Amino acid sequence: MARHFKYVQFIDQMNYSITFACYNQIDYTKKCISSMTDAGIPIDRLAIVDNASSDETWSYLQSLQLGAAIRNADNLGCGVAWNQGALALQSEWTIIMNNDVIVSPRWLDGLIGTAEKNNLDIISPAMIEGPLNYDFLDFAEKSSVNARNVLRAGWAHAVCLAVHKRVWKEVGYFRATPKLLGYEDTIFFHEARLAGMSVGTTGASWLHHYGSITQSAMKRERGLQTSDDLGYRYNHRLLHQSWFNRKMDKVRLNRQLRAWSASEQASLGHSLWGNSSGSVLTWN
């Protein structure tokens, strides 16, 4: 039986806002918002953008006392929607996230608290991806304490990221080009790295990610396989990197991810990035 409980946040609510884009998949949006209210997050700190959903998403959003609810006439992509949400409810910290996630009670405190403690500009939570076939709340409650001092400095992910307002001023917002189809985050991280922004992923904050539900739906609409890239195949040219440099960056990142995972599993028994697709949790 699922457990629901309230958790009082210690972070000043005026210091943060939360935004995500919707494109159908109303059931996941409801689960996401419900997990936030269960975690004690005031619903007026949410700015949600509906990218022309054809289901009941917009009616549902209108029924809530959100900080901002925006509906686009067409699916304008993640970059446009994220910018709209960030600008609609401006704050010191803007949490950009997917709608196919659920958060844990200590998620927000662990996220922003760790960023401020370590002077980070961008920070992501630890996460487990796949079906919700385990007791996420119990796992997250324990791990947010046991792994609170574990930090993957230099790496963050786009499933959820808290962005300090100085990043918008120094780097700018997301590339507002609908045909990027999800590549906006890669460009944003690349530009943030070039600007010297400090990023990290913390074990003090956990979420569950069902696994790119919206992107998978968009692939089906376009007749693509799940393994196919959704974005325009030449998007990488926007990074202004040679094929060799891109390849070497991926090699270095994968090597670092493996090293982090091995170190975390040795000390915690798990890493900061898991998968629930099998009968037991596995770790990346």
Side-chain angles (χ1 to χ4, degrees):
M1 180 179 296
R3 294 178 293 117
H4 298 281
F5 54 90
K6 298 291 184 180
Y7 178 80
V8 178
Q9 299 289 340
F10 293 103
I11 298 296
D12 182 348
Q13 70 179 54
M14 298 310 295
N15 284 348
Y16 72 89
S17 60
I18 300 169
T19 188
F20 59 78
C22 300
Y23 179 65
N24 298 321
Q25 315 306 321
I26 185 173
D27 290 340
Y28 289 95
T29 297
K30 287 182 176 180
K31 291 176 183 177
C32 181
I33 293 175
S34 178
S35 74
M36 291 189 197
T37 56
D38 282 347
I41 296 172
I43 201 165
D44 64 1
R45 302 315 302 161
L46 275 62
I48 302 179
V49 181
D50 180 14
N51 260 333
S53 295
S54 58
D55 61 7
E56 298 301 314
T57 292
W58 181 239
S59 296
Y60 169 65
L61 296 179
Q62 287 183 301
S63 72
L64 305 175
Q65 299 298 313
L66 299 169
I70 301 167
R71 179 171 171 80
N72 291 324
D74 297 295
N75 186 350
L76 300 181
C78 294
V80 173
W82 290 337
N83 291 346
Q84 288 174 304
L87 291 167
L89 204 59
Q90 298 175 40
S91 57
E92 183 174 2
W93 287 97
T94 304
I95 292 89
I96 308 289
M97 61 193 299
N98 288 12
N99 68 322
D100 55 350
V101 305
I102 59 173
V103 303
S104 57
R106 300 179 187 276
W107 162 74
L108 186 60
D109 283 327
L111 195 64
I112 296 179
T114 300
E116 293 183 340
K117 177 182 177 181
N118 293 276
N119 296 314
L120 298 179
D121 303 297
I122 300 171
I123 189 169
S124 291
M127 69 175 175
I128 299 173
E129 299 187 281
L132 190 58
N133 56 7
Y134 66 103
D135 191 337
F136 168 65
L137 292 181
D138 182 69
F139 178 89
E141 185 176 14
K142 294 174 181 176
S143 295
S144 63
V145 175
N146 295 336
R148 63 185 180 276
N149 294 320
V150 178
L151 180 68
R152 293 188 175 186
W155 178 75
H157 58 79
V159 174
C160 175
L161 61 155
V163 182
H164 195 270
K165 63 182 182 181
R166 58 181 165 264
V167 178
W168 306 133
K169 296 178 181 179
E170 294 294 328
V171 179
Y173 290 79
F174 293 93
R175 190 73 64 93
T177 306
K179 73 175 183 179
L180 287 173
L181 293 170
Y183 205 73
E184 298 93 333
D185 58 334
T186 301
I187 297 172
F188 180 74
F189 282 130
H190 178 71
E191 293 176 345
R193 184 169 63 251
L194 292 178
M197 297 290 107
S198 55
V199 307
T201 297
T202 176
S205 174
W206 286 82
L207 58 75
H208 177 85
H209 180 216
Y210 286 99
S212 302
I213 300 298
T214 299
Q215 290 232 340
S216 295
M218 291 175 66
K219 288 179 182 180
R220 289 194 297 272
E221 286 183 0
R222 290 163 171 76
L224 298 173
Q225 299 296 319
T226 303
S227 59
D228 293 336
D229 289 332
L230 179 62
Y232 184 53
R233 64 179 297 185
Y234 298 115
N235 281 342
H236 65 270
R237 293 178 178 173
L238 298 173
L239 302 180
H240 305 292
Q241 284 185 308
S242 67
W243 175 90
F244 178 78
N245 286 337
R246 291 197 311 276
K247 181 69 172 179
M248 293 307 299
D249 281 349
K250 290 181 180 179
V251 169
R252 284 190 288 266
L253 174 58
N254 288 333
R255 184 184 299 125
Q256 180 63 75
L257 289 172
R258 289 193 297 270
W260 276 324
S261 179
S263 175
E264 292 156 5
Q265 290 186 66
S267 61
L268 301 170
H270 62 79
S271 74
L272 301 192
W273 185 9
N275 190 286
S276 64
S277 59
S279 58
V280 296
L281 296 177
T282 57
W283 304 102
N284 302 313

